[in-house]
Amino acid sequence: MRARKRFGQHFLEPAWVAKVVDAIDPAPDDTFLEIGPGRGALTAALGPRVRRVIAVEIDRDLAAALPARVPPNVRLVQGDVLEVDLDALLRDEPVPVRVAGNLPYNVSSPILFRLLEAADEGRRIRDAVLMLQKEVADRLVAAPATEGYGALAIQVQLVADVDRLLVLPPGAFRPAPKVTSALVRLRFRAASTEVGDRAAFTRLVRGLFLRRRKTLLNALRPLVEPSGRSAKHVLERAGLTPSRRPETLTVDETARLARELCYSFPRKSLSPPNF
Ligand code: SAM
């Protein structure tokens, strides 16, 4: 069966399977949700070492071929991991579960955001060990004022500790992708700081980082001034220097700014037009 590009199919070569599964560090009582089992390279190695694997595969042909390749404690679900009802899927499983996946790179960001939501601060998903494009992995662990630091780092680091576990060359997969890959672990936990309204925080962070090299003042203006708030005043109250660049803001500082917007303008932040 040929690899389907539209599903981001790059299958892990056998020489790398043990290294990746060891890095996942499975335990006999663990229940895993595996994203995109493909031909079952990871699934077949993971299954015997854990309580159960629930594997969600979008490709009907691959999903149909999988039962013959994996142990009986693997439950296969044919579907899109961005659409499946995770509540229903995990209803009878002991939580928190763990997640593993060699992700389709074309949809890795939406999958990451879905996991951040679904993790429920580690109560429903304890951790996720994910194969990503190395560039995306670097963005997840980036520190303020470094290349790659941005909205993704802030949103992920707010609710997870992230470690890079392995770097894999293109030849670790077939067909080989054009990029280098990296395996990362996200350990979900309660948010490191309060951000007020979570959706407004996301809009603020994304909006600021669209203008990451402008001054904070100029980056904030289009986000708050249409609803009658002064960006200068908001920054003053949040204790942030207007001449700084958004790319230098730590998670805590971004949260401070979000709280200021959320709590000092409660009426406006109920239905914020641009924030
Ligand atoms: N786990 C296998 C391996 O390591 O060899 C396959 C990894 S391959 C990079 C990504 C897999 O995710 C493919 O099997 C692909 O069909 C599947 N996939 C792509 N998009 C998906 C989605 N939205 N939901 C579930 N599976 C998806």
Side-chain angles (χ1 to χ4, degrees):
M1 213 184 300
R2 286 190 50 186
R4 291 189 166 126
K5 217 172 165 180
R6 76 192 147 108
F7 291 144
Q9 291 175 355
H10 297 281
F11 301 103
L12 192 63
E13 286 281 72
W16 283 86
V17 170
K19 280 186 201 128
V20 171
V21 174
D22 286 346
I24 293 172
D25 194 21
D29 286 342
D30 288 343
T31 298
F32 271 88
L33 170 67
E34 188 192 350
I35 300 171
R39 295 174 180 155
L42 292 175
T43 332
L46 197 57
R49 294 176 61 171
V50 302
R51 176 185 164 272
R52 187 197 302 280
V53 180
I54 301 166
V56 181
E57 173 56 57
I58 199 169
D59 184 318
R60 282 174 200 279
D61 296 327
L62 287 181
L66 267 167
R69 299 170 184 243
V70 297
N73 65 336
V74 176
R75 179 176 155 210
L76 287 164
V77 177
Q78 194 270 313
D80 181 340
V81 75
L82 293 170
E83 307 278 332
V84 286
D85 181 346
L86 289 176
D87 281 333
L89 209 60
L90 302 178
R91 186 165 298 138
D92 298 325
E93 306 298 335
V95 288
V97 300
R98 304 184 63 196
V99 171
N102 172 11
L103 295 191
Y105 295 165
N106 50 345
V107 283
S108 60
S109 289
I111 293 176
L112 272 170
F113 287 117
R114 175 130 217 238
L115 292 176
L116 292 185
E117 280 271 327
D120 191 19
E121 305 195 328
R123 285 184 288 261
R124 192 149 65 139
I125 302 175
R126 188 169 97 214
D127 68 348
V129 182
L130 305 173
M131 188 79 68
L132 297 166
Q133 203 175 320
K134 180 174 168 291
E135 190 225 311
V136 176
D138 290 345
R139 278 163 54 201
L140 294 186
V141 296
T146 65
E147 205 191 312
Y149 183 70
L152 188 64
I154 292 185
Q155 286 168 269
V156 171
Q157 292 172 18
L158 177 72
V159 290
D161 295 319
V162 192
D163 294 303
R164 212 174 73 180
L165 307 176
L166 290 175
V167 174
L168 291 85
F173 307 89
R174 189 167 296 176
K178 291 201 176 76
V179 294
T180 301
S181 300
L183 191 71
V184 296
R185 182 193 308 279
L186 279 73
R187 273 199 190 83
F188 299 107
R189 51 157 167 71
S192 55
T193 178
E194 208 228 314
V195 300
D197 178 74
R198 194 63 73 84
F201 175 73
T202 300
R203 289 197 295 277
L204 171 69
V205 171
R206 290 180 183 176
L208 286 177
F209 276 89
L210 283 176
R211 305 168 187 92
R212 53 185 291 136
R213 297 211 166 84
K214 295 203 164 175
T215 63
L216 205 42
L217 181 64
N218 284 335
L220 192 60
R221 272 190 170 136
L223 301 176
V224 303
E225 297 199 340
S227 53
R229 293 171 285 189
S230 148
K232 194 160 170 277
H233 180 61
V234 170
L235 287 172
E236 241 165 50
R237 291 190 47 131
L240 295 167
T241 313
S243 59
R244 281 181 60 182
R245 315 274 160 189
E247 64 189 356
T248 68
L249 289 182
T250 63
V251 175
D252 278 352
E253 288 172 328
T254 318
R256 216 156 74 209
L257 187 53
R259 285 198 302 271
E260 181 53 38
L261 284 163
C262 188
Y263 297 131
S264 298
F265 302 92
R267 240 173 352 106
K268 280 175 179 155
S269 50
L270 277 181
S271 56
N274 276 307
F275 159 67

